Amino acid sequence: MTGTADPIRVLHVDDEPGVTDRAQTFLERADERITVRTAASAEEGWETLSDTPVDCVVSEYDMGGTNGLDFLERVREAYPELPFILYTGKGSEEVASEAISKGVTDYLQKERGTEQYSILANRVTDVTEQTECEQELTEIKRRYRTIFNDPNILVGHLDTDGTLLDVNRTAMKYIDATREDVIGELFPETPWLDHSEAARAKVRERIDRAVSGEYVEFEADRVRPNGERYAVKGVFRPVTDDNGAVESLLISTRDITDSRVREAELQSQRDRYQSLFENSPRVIWEQDHSEAMAYLETITPGVDDVEAYLLDHPEEIDRLLDRVEIIDVNRNALAYYDADSKAELLENVEQVMVEETSDSLAAQWAAFADGATEYQTETVAQTLSGDRREELLHIVAPDGNTDDYSRVYVIGTEITEQKERERRLKRQNERLDEFTRVVSHDLRTPLHVAASRLELAAEECDSPHLESVADAHDRMERLIEDLLAFARAGSEALACGTVELGQLLDGCWERIRTDEASLAVETDEAIQADRGRLRQLFENLLANAVEHGGSDVSITVGSLADGFYIEDDGSGIPESKRDDVLEAGHSTSQEGTGFGLSIVAEVAEAHGWALHVTDGSDGGARFEVTGVEFTAG
């Protein structure tokens, strides 16, 4: 409004100081008449209005505490003639819908008579200003029509008795009727609504509440003329005169069918996740590590070895844990930690920690500091009743949370029994190592001394008893060899690789072959196995076939679907004795040690194979090894 020296006093309300500072600078630079007061909140803006006259209010919608819409309503009640501009820097469908409804309401209040125009006219002093006011009303009308016919919002204007005064084109797309069919009709009777008495009563009740001055929000299900169902969300908004009396109603709705479908899908996903989370047989903690990771970044610049640093400064581990927010824990954790409720567990979570936890925590935070989003470790925990549990923890930040670690899942699997078995096995192996040391050294030493003395005795005298002693020494030596082989067969770690059966059997047969016995290898397979152990298995089976099948025995080695077999044409093994022959110390020959086939069983078990004893195709014994992994030779 050029041509007057009257000042223009603007109140700008925004909780972003940078925004208000820039706006103040630009406005005051644009026109020397403009002075800008700023407020950082709706409450502060209200206090300014209470003690300082202003000509216009400009307010952000999205502020902490009271939002711009609530502030607008409060200002309208106290200062109905005061111009108010509401804006938002954030897109929001609901905000847009409410803003549109308020914009239309503003127009209707200005449109209904000359009161507001007179107020504007009284503020101007020449024809130019009068024209500008008229232009302002014209612009308000234009905006009203634009808003009213928004293609995304269904808008209707009702009289206080519920008669439909106006409706936009968008709303008409949802019914099979013309504007002439519905204008002037009571809204509860129009084609948009279910004509059941209950539905009409509900709409009349909403209209009555709005006429009394209430903003009535609602959601409703509707049916298009083609039978397609849709859903809407809207509000009945009262339009008041200058004295605050309700003179008409504005109804604005938007189609929320798609959003309902999306929400249903999202809820279904939430339900599936929650079911999986709560019913998992493992312990699952859902945590927020964002603050802890931010703190970790402040204490590790220049630190080469984060794990060592944390171990040297355990107080930093405590500070990191203090910054971890536990969002939830699943039901399985309650029984696992002997807690009666989630609340009890979360209140006493520090009791779960034991001293040994520090080492695994230091390694975990070091891995995260290095950018890892997934980590696995073994640790020890304690139940609320004091029992210790050994755990395998799988810690993972899922996709979408790898930047700030705001969601981290800690999945625990109890391995107490597994670790106890490992400790028992370690103790057994240690005792076995001690046993093999005694057998290989402490028994062999006196045996070698006895053998030496036997040789001296044989030089001094000729006695048939000396030969029997020599045979006993040989048997003892074989027994020691088999004992050591039996001990090693089940305790030493496997070194598996590709082994060609035909090539290996050629070498084994060279050590076993007799003049009359024969071996037929009918397989060219290659398998995954420890070569040394497999050689021992074949040599023992070949030797067993020669020993029990006779010097002229025929032996065949062939393939099975998932393994191999070795059979002979000897006398075979009675079915009642087939389990016994695999036991350590069992032998049907005075020359045997009884460990040959038990070593075969140990080698097969160490590889994870199954060993079966059955009849050969020519009546002899047949040994089948299954569960074998074939490879390319």
Side-chain angles (χ1 to χ4, degrees), residues 218-232:
F218 66 91
E219 286 191 22
D221 295 318
R222 299 283 184 257
V223 181
R224 289 180 182 267
N226 63 4
E228 178 185 350
R229 302 190 67 84
Y230 67 100
V232 294

Side-chain angles (χ1 to χ4, degrees), residues 158-419:
L158 310 180
D159 202 347
T160 53
D161 64 354
T163 300
L164 186 63
L165 302 176
D166 199 1
V167 64
N168 72 349
R169 288 190 296 269
T170 303
M172 295 303 300
K173 295 177 182 178
Y174 284 76
I175 59 173
D176 187 12
T178 65
R179 286 173 55 85
E180 290 73 17
D181 294 332
V182 295
I183 298 299
E185 295 293 322
L186 290 174
F187 186 67
E189 307 294 335
T190 57
W192 287 280
L193 306 178
D194 177 2
H195 288 168
S196 67
E197 182 53 40
R200 290 197 295 266
K202 183 178 294 185
V203 174
R204 283 196 296 267
E205 182 263 341
R206 290 169 181 161
I207 291 173
D208 291 342
R209 287 164 56 194
V211 169
S212 68
E214 183 180 350
Y215 284 66
V216 184
E217 296 182 348
F218 66 91
E219 286 191 22
D221 295 318
R222 299 283 184 257
V223 181
R224 289 180 182 267
N226 63 4
E228 178 185 350
R229 302 190 67 84
Y230 67 100
V232 294
K233 181 177 183 179
V235 60
F236 285 91
R237 188 182 304 276
V239 179
T240 59
D241 60 19
D242 290 338
N243 298 318
V246 176
E247 61 177 19
S248 63
L249 303 177
L250 184 69
I251 176 174
S252 60
T253 63
R254 56 191 177 88
D255 192 323
I256 59 170
T257 308
D258 291 342
S259 62
R260 272 197 180 179
V261 171
R262 290 192 298 270
E263 180 60 31
E265 292 174 350
L266 181 59
Q267 186 59 47
S268 177
Q269 292 175 358
R270 290 195 196 103
D271 292 343
R272 287 197 297 271
Y273 156 75
Q274 195 64 27
S275 177
L276 178 63
F277 177 80
E278 293 291 359
N279 299 307
S280 171
R282 292 179 171 82
V283 172
I284 305 178
W285 299 82
E286 184 180 4
Q287 301 176 348
D288 182 347
H289 285 203
S290 55
E291 288 191 22
M293 290 299 295
Y295 179 73
L296 185 63
E297 291 180 2
T298 67
I299 64 174
T300 55
V303 177
D304 294 330
D305 190 335
V306 175
E307 182 177 357
Y309 172 80
L310 293 176
L311 290 174
D312 291 339
H313 300 82
E315 70 279 2
E316 295 290 13
I317 296 179
D318 293 337
R319 294 185 182 115
L320 287 167
L321 291 177
D322 288 342
R323 288 166 170 79
V324 171
E325 177 188 353
I326 299 176
I327 300 171
D328 200 0
V329 62
N330 68 342
R331 285 195 297 263
N332 189 51
L334 304 185
Y336 183 81
Y337 290 111
D338 294 335
D340 292 331
S341 65
K342 289 186 179 184
E344 181 188 16
L345 178 57
L346 296 179
E347 289 171 3
N348 298 278
V349 70
E350 291 183 358
Q351 294 185 31
V352 172
M353 305 291 183
V354 296
E355 187 174 347
E356 293 94 323
T357 307
S358 296
D359 290 349
S360 61
L361 285 172
Q364 170 200 324
W365 290 113
F368 283 175
D370 196 38
T373 58
E374 194 166 349
Y375 183 74
Q376 187 165 292
T377 185
E378 292 182 5
T379 188
V380 180
Q382 181 174 270
T383 68
L384 298 188
S385 56
D387 295 332
R388 288 167 58 87
R389 298 188 187 277
E390 295 181 81
E391 300 176 327
L392 175 66
L393 295 184
H394 184 204
I395 307 165
V396 58
D399 292 344
N401 300 103
T402 55
D403 291 338
D404 60 0
Y405 296 80
S406 57
R407 281 293 185 279
V408 173
Y409 293 97
V410 181
I411 305 169
T413 304
E414 184 178 6
I415 55 172
T416 305
E417 293 184 3
Q418 173 187 330
K419 300 302 290 185

Side-chain angles (χ1 to χ4, degrees), residues 474-509:
D474 290 341
R475 178 171 171 75
M476 289 176 65
E477 185 64 33
R478 290 198 308 274
L479 185 59
I480 290 173
E481 289 287 347
D482 284 351
L483 278 171
L484 292 175
F486 179 72
R488 286 191 294 267
S491 63
E492 293 181 352
L494 298 177
C496 291
T498 299
V499 182
E500 295 182 10
L501 295 182
Q503 185 184 62
L504 181 67
L505 282 162
D506 287 344
C508 294
W509 186 239

